[in-house]
Amino acid sequence: MIVNCFQILLKSRMDESKTHNSALIKDIIIGMSDGLTVPFALTAGLSGALHTNQLIIVSGMAEIAAGCISMGLGGFLAGESEVDHYNTALKREYHEIETVPHLELKEVQDALVSVGVDTALSKTVALQISQNKDNWANFMMQMELKLEKPPTNRARASAVAIALSYLVGGFIPLFPYIITNNNQSGLYLSCTVTIFALIVFGYLKSKFTGQNLVTGTFKVASIGIIAATAAFLLAKAVS
């Protein structure tokens, strides 16, 4: 049974590493998703109203720059909030350990029992864990609150991942206008390239998140296509 306790603690460490990797991939998905969709809709809409690639390129670049800053700042603030939330909860656990240690010790026992540790053994293990307040608090954070400690650079890493992903995604629908001579050719090539990118991205996103590959891919691609079509038709109608 003692081996089982060590296995539980080891598993929590492995889950922490997976959580960090998942957070990074989640940030990339957020940035890439918006980066593909918003500039695609913008450039498609502008091509329905403008007759020169230069204005489309300048407008597209301006949107991508603004989107990178906005999305990156949002990721930074979200990352800071995640770290602040963890630190606040950890501080509360230390306070409870100091003020109501008997209740916290009981919660350790209950947590161990809930994952299959024998009741008698859980008391022994709980007492052992309580010998070190840092280990005690960390155990409660993981087993009771289900919170993993975010990396110290979580906010900065999130901002960079989202901003760069948005930049890459946004450049895909824009670059066809850079290499073509007129807006119609740029629009056709942009639609072809971006729809293909949306399909690939939708497939990879669905595979990572465990969604149905066909349904997930269709959702991602259809959202981008609908947004671009709506923007194009609206610009045409207004112009």
Side-chain angles (χ1 to χ4, degrees):
M1 295 304 295
I2 295 178
V3 174
N4 290 339
C5 294
F6 283 111
Q7 288 177 340
I8 292 168
L9 295 176
L10 178 61
K11 183 178 183 298
S12 69
R13 295 299 182 184
M14 294 174 63
D15 290 341
E16 181 178 348
S17 177
K18 290 180 181 178
T19 300
H20 295 168
N21 293 333
S22 298
L24 176 61
I25 295 176
K26 180 182 177 181
D27 290 336
I28 294 174
I29 289 176
I30 292 173
M32 184 67 71
S33 180
D34 282 1
L36 281 171
T37 304
V38 178
F40 182 35
L42 174 67
T43 53
L46 291 176
S47 67
L50 303 176
H51 301 288
T52 171
N53 278 7
Q54 184 177 2
L55 292 176
I56 297 175
I57 293 170
V58 172
S59 299
M61 287 184 173
E63 194 288 324
I64 292 173
C68 286
I69 295 173
S70 176
M71 294 289 291
L73 180 59
F76 182 83
L77 294 176
E80 278 198 330
S81 296
E82 184 179 340
V83 174
D84 291 341
H85 173 64
Y86 181 89
N87 290 336
T88 299
L90 182 61
K91 184 178 180 180
R92 184 172 60 249
E93 286 299 326
Y94 275 113
H95 176 72
E96 291 176 352
I97 288 173
E98 291 288 347
T99 56
V100 285
H102 60 288
L103 295 180
E104 289 296 291
L105 190 63
K106 181 64 168 57
E107 290 178 355
V108 173
Q109 296 175 22
D110 293 340
L112 291 170
V113 171
S114 68
V115 293
V117 179
D118 180 79
T119 302
L121 181 59
S122 69
K123 295 180 180 179
T124 303
V125 176
L127 288 173
Q128 183 65 38
I129 292 175
S130 66
Q131 298 304 308
N132 185 299
K133 291 183 179 179
D134 293 333
N135 291 338
W136 191 353
N138 290 331
F139 180 89
M140 297 305 297
M141 292 291 290
Q142 294 181 20
M143 299 300 293
E144 180 190 23
L145 302 180
K146 309 300 181 185
L147 291 177
E148 300 292 346
K149 183 178 181 179
T152 54
N153 63 340
R154 170 65 182 137
R156 182 177 58 189
S158 179
V160 171
I162 292 177
L164 289 180
S165 299
Y166 191 96
L167 176 64
V168 173
F171 186 72
I172 292 175
L174 181 62
F175 92 89
Y177 295 95
I178 300 176
I179 63 176
T180 54
N181 298 322
N182 58 78
N183 65 325
Q184 290 302 310
S185 298
L187 175 63
Y188 296 147
L189 182 57
S190 178
C191 288
T192 301
V193 172
T194 308
I195 290 173
F196 176 76
L198 284 168
I199 292 173
V200 173
F201 173 69
Y203 174 84
L204 295 176
K205 177 184 176 183
S206 301
K207 192 169 185 178
F208 171 75
T209 57
Q211 299 180 20
N212 180 276
L213 295 179
V214 176
T215 303
T217 302
F218 176 77
K219 284 182 179 179
V220 172
S222 61
I223 290 173
I225 294 171
I226 291 172
T229 302
F232 178 82
L233 294 177
L234 179 61
K236 270 291 188 182
V238 173
S239 63

